[in-house]
Amino acid sequence: MFKCLSRLLPRCVLSAVPSTSLGRLPRSMERAAVRCVPGEPKLTISLVVDGSHRHMLRDQSEELGKVLARIANSIAKGQGRAKKSKKNKGQQPSEAVEPTVVKLYYNGDVVSEEAVNSDAWQDGSELHIGEVRYSVQRNAPTFTTAELPGSLLAGFPVCPKLQVEFGHLEDCEFTWYKESVADTSPEAGGDMQGQEGGWTVAGSGRVYVPSNLDIGSRLKLHCTPKDGARCGPPKELVSMGTVEAGPGACTFDNRHMYTLKGTDMQTVRVVSYNILADIYAQTELSKTVLYPYCAPYALGLDYRQNLIKKELAGYNADIICLQEVDKGVFTDSLGPALDAYGLDGVFRIKEKQHEGLATFYRRSKLRLLSRHDAVLSEALTSDPIHSALLETVSANTSLKEKILQRSTTLQVSVFEDLTEPSRKICVANTHLYWHPKGGNIRLVQMGVALQHLSHVIREVAPGAPLLFFGDFNSTPNSGVFQLVSQCQVPDSHPDWSSSGPEEACSLELSSPFPCLLSACGEPAYTNYVGGFHGCLDYVFIEPSRMEVDQVIPLPSHQEVTTYQALPSVAHPSDHIALVCDLRWRP
């Protein structure tokens, strides 16, 4: 980028000096990292001087000379403190030390101290502090976030949380180590190859799956940020705990046998899954009433996240729609993990809640064009397309009030097929009201959702097929299922009076879409807890636009009930993921 500094800087910036003044450069130099971003008022200079880390924040428009003087003054102060310390200890202080010369060079020429910082600190320049040389790296690839997860299980992927500036994660280099004690006895032949200081090379790549041989060992990750061939300062991460034994067979292990390979370009593998928010799993009600059969440690977030990440990664899906996703889980766990497997994600929090909806998509197949999320209660009262429905609902004050209290959200994303850009798809994801007697509220919510989706497709992506995922909290005999699959629900449907006569609403509701198909059929259950089991989750598709190519079988009843019910040590949620392959119709 900066091939010739003399072309970029005023003539006064560079001044010639005899080449002998540079001296013979050492084989390796220290590193001085400079972050200078156009449009930002400040730049940062980070380096190690006399064993002490220095981090300087300076104005980009400031003259270079002021920075160099600051470095020299800082060194002089340090020397002064050392001299005073010796005197206090009764030691003979050393003779006066010559002031440290601090200069910046580029291509062998000294950079004028009148040059402004933004021009002076070029990539490849050299900072000389006395006899010490520093290689200046301007905007080098740098990890701004680098963390290992807190829980490590044998057989389950370890996905670090990583963010890189001025680089790309796919270019970065990763080496994993496991803790070991090198046998250096003569009988062992001295140092063992592949070991360094008690750490044995265990693998490479962004994700590492520990084996049973790693149980009891800590893990270390050495990662180098890169932008193509350009490298930045490496980081080393060491796990807080050791690798622990996994739970053995999980409910999704057999399902992964059907998804070992990804899909071709004419097929889209999709997943819908309520993963059980941590804020609900950790309540006293959950531990003592809802899931008393589940071991307490198996309800812990770290434990369940290990299982969820392995389950989702093993499906090799193109689109994953999740419900009950804690905000922190999306940011710190699932987002980084699925990114390592080639998926990008978007998140929508529920109003007044700590959990929400997440949609992940394979970036090699799909491009996100736009988002059109909606809070259903707000849409009902503010969008004119729902005026007729609002008028009917308003006739019952009690029902209207209950509907408007709900924070139910609809996540809507429009995608483009990267192989055929003319092919668009509208992906919707929701989690409807949960109460068993809330059938009337769910009907209104679904009516609003369908109208909103129809409007989005008509305005943004005409002709795009709809994929509607979610935990609809509705069984196959519900009004919601009938509205979606049969296009209308009569005013006589019992769900209209599900919460009693005082909140009853007689309304014939129609869908703006042709009849949608439940791609995974009507399983006996998708939710299995101690006091209830039933089918509540669906993947709805337009059968005229897409056809079902394969439905991944659900876990057997024996697998589901091995530990009585869900969740369990072998299954991370009280719901079961729906997984199927959909093929575009010609």
Side-chain angles (χ1 to χ4, degrees):
M1 182 175 179
F2 304 104
K3 293 182 179 179
C4 182
L5 191 65
S6 60
R7 297 179 185 175
L8 300 176
L9 305 183
R11 294 182 64 86
C12 64
V13 170
L14 301 177
S15 57
V17 295
S19 59
T20 54
S21 66
L22 294 178
R24 180 172 294 179
L25 293 180
R27 293 181 180 179
S28 62
M29 291 189 289
E30 301 288 338
R31 184 197 310 268
V34 175
R35 183 184 183 277
C36 182
V37 179
E40 293 185 5
K42 303 283 187 177
L43 58 72
T44 57
I45 305 168
S46 303
L47 68 164
V48 177
V49 180
D50 291 334
S52 176
H53 288 270
R54 307 291 175 92
H55 189 74
M56 306 176 68
L57 183 66
R58 312 297 294 186
D59 288 333
Q60 291 198 26
S61 58
E62 178 187 49
E63 289 186 355
L64 170 66
K66 293 184 179 180
V67 181
L68 301 183
R70 178 67 180 269
I71 295 173
N73 289 338
S74 178
I75 294 173
K77 288 181 180 179
Q79 292 171 341
R81 285 192 295 268
K83 186 175 181 180
K84 185 177 181 181
S85 176
K86 281 187 176 182
K87 186 176 182 180
N88 291 337
K89 293 179 180 178
Q91 300 178 11
Q92 184 67 28
S94 57
E95 296 182 3
V97 181
E98 288 290 326
T100 302
V101 177
V102 182
K103 293 288 184 181
L104 183 66
Y105 294 86
Y106 188 80
N107 284 342
D109 296 321
V110 67
V111 180
S112 170
E113 294 187 1
E114 296 178 3
V116 296
N117 282 326
S118 58
D119 290 335
W121 297 93
Q122 298 294 342
D123 190 52
S125 57
E126 290 181 15
L127 175 66
H128 293 194
I129 302 179
E131 297 298 320
V132 183
R133 308 291 189 257
Y134 295 82
S135 174
V136 174
Q137 294 191 341
R138 175 166 169 151
N139 295 344
T142 305
F143 285 118
T144 55
T145 300
E147 302 171 8
L148 289 178
S151 175
L152 310 173
L153 295 182
F156 290 76
V158 179
C159 308
K161 180 184 178 183
L162 299 167
Q163 291 181 333
V164 65
E165 187 178 35
F166 311 123
H168 301 88
L169 285 173
E170 56 267 28
D171 295 336
C172 299
E173 294 180 352
F174 304 94
T175 304
W176 293 86
Y177 300 84
K178 73 171 183 177
E179 195 173 32
S180 62
V181 179
D183 185 356
T184 58
S185 63
E187 293 79 5
D191 292 338
M192 295 178 64
Q193 188 175 4
Q195 295 189 352
E196 60 170 50
W199 295 92
T200 303
V201 175
S204 60
R206 189 169 161 190
V207 177
Y208 177 67
V209 181
S211 71
N212 288 336
L213 296 176
D214 298 329
I215 294 174
S217 297
R218 291 186 301 163
L219 298 181
K220 180 172 73 173
L221 172 63
H222 181 93
C223 43
T224 303
K226 298 184 69 176
D227 178 22
R230 190 165 179 250
C231 299
K235 274 189 176 292
E236 280 198 347
L237 311 174
V238 179
S239 64
M240 295 294 292
T242 61
V243 176
E244 300 178 355
C250 291
T251 55
F252 46 80
D253 289 340
N254 289 331
R255 306 186 80 189
H256 285 169
M257 300 302 294
Y258 296 87
T259 59
L260 293 174
K261 296 181 179 179
T263 57
D264 59 37
M265 299 311 294
Q266 295 301 314
T267 307
V268 181
R269 180 169 298 148
V270 301
V271 175
S272 184
Y273 196 6
N274 180 329
I275 62 172
L276 180 58
D278 184 57
I279 57 171
Y280 304 142
Q282 293 300 317
T283 64
E284 197 62 29
L285 176 68
S286 295
K287 295 176 181 179
T288 59
V289 178
L290 297 179
Y291 319 122
Y293 46 82
C294 184
Y297 75 87
L299 285 175
L301 178 60
D302 285 347
Y303 182 88
R304 293 196 304 114
Q305 279 301 300
N306 271 305
L307 271 63
I308 290 170
K309 286 185 283 189
K310 181 177 183 179
E311 179 175 7
L312 293 178
Y315 290 140
N316 287 304
D318 302 310
I319 297 174
I320 300 175
C321 285
L322 305 177
Q323 304 85 43
E324 289 196 24
V325 182
D326 300 273
K327 184 177 180 180
V329 165
F330 177 84
T331 304
D332 300 330
S333 181
L334 287 181
L338 294 179
D339 178 75
Y341 286 99
L343 294 109
D344 289 333
V346 290
F347 179 72
R348 174 62 191 237
I349 193 86
K350 277 187 186 177
E351 298 291 330
K352 305 174 185 177
Q353 303 286 332
H354 297 284
E355 54 91 4
L357 306 164
T359 296
F360 292 91
Y361 58 96
R362 188 161 299 282
R363 53 179 170 265
S364 63
K365 294 183 74 169
L366 299 168
R367 183 167 75 92
L368 178 64
L369 295 179
S370 56
R371 298 177 60 186
H372 310 272
D373 304 344
V375 178
L376 297 181
S377 59
E378 294 178 3
L380 175 63
T381 56
S382 63
D383 195 328
I385 65 175
H386 308 301
S387 57
L389 180 57
L390 177 61
E391 182 179 354
T392 303
V393 169
S394 298
N396 189 315
T397 305
S398 297
L399 177 61
K400 179 183 178 182
E401 185 177 337
K402 254 190 177 176
I403 292 172
L404 298 186
Q405 288 174 349
R406 307 273 69 81
S407 59
T408 304
T409 302
L410 177 70
Q411 186 181 38
V412 186
S413 309
V414 176
F415 295 99
E416 172 185 86
D417 188 323
L418 288 176
T419 57
E420 293 188 33
S422 61
R423 197 156 62 186
K424 312 289 193 300
I425 190 169
C426 180
V427 175
N429 182 20
T430 196
H431 185 188
L432 297 186
Y433 181 47
W434 64 272
H435 201 284
K437 295 183 178 180
N440 50 356
I441 295 176
R442 285 188 288 275
L443 268 171
V444 173
Q445 289 178 338
M446 183 56 91
V448 174
L450 292 172
Q451 286 292 346
H452 179 79
L453 291 168
S454 177
H455 178 75
V456 167
I457 292 174
R458 186 168 59 251
E459 295 295 320
V460 178
L466 171 67
L467 291 184
F468 201 171
F469 302 76
D471 175 359
F472 297 89
N473 274 311
S474 304
T475 58
N477 62 358
S478 66
V480 164
F481 189 87
Q482 183 173 338
L483 174 63
V484 175
S485 62
Q486 299 180 27
C487 299
Q488 62 179 10
V489 61
D491 56 8
S492 59
H493 196 283
D495 275 2
W496 287 120
S497 56
S498 59
S499 56
E502 67 281 358
E503 293 177 359
C505 175
S506 295
L507 172 64
E508 184 172 310
L509 196 58
S510 299
S511 169
F513 289 91
C515 298
L516 302 182
L517 172 71
S518 174
C520 296
E522 302 171 24
Y525 50 79
T526 60
N527 175 240
Y528 198 103
V529 295
F532 170 84
H533 63 271
C535 181
L536 305 177
D537 307 83
Y538 305 94
V539 175
F540 291 116
I541 67 171
E542 292 187 59
S544 62
R545 307 297 308 280
M546 304 191 84
E547 60 183 346
V548 180
D549 190 53
Q550 175 186 215
V551 176
I552 308 307
L554 271 64
S556 68
H557 185 67
Q558 181 180 352
E559 290 174 319
V560 171
T561 58
T562 297
Y563 299 94
Q564 188 175 335
L566 306 178
S568 70
V569 296
H571 191 88
S573 175
D574 54 345
H575 286 252
I576 300 171
L578 296 177
V579 188
C580 63
D581 292 352
L582 305 175
R583 181 172 290 275
W584 291 92
R585 287 191 182 274

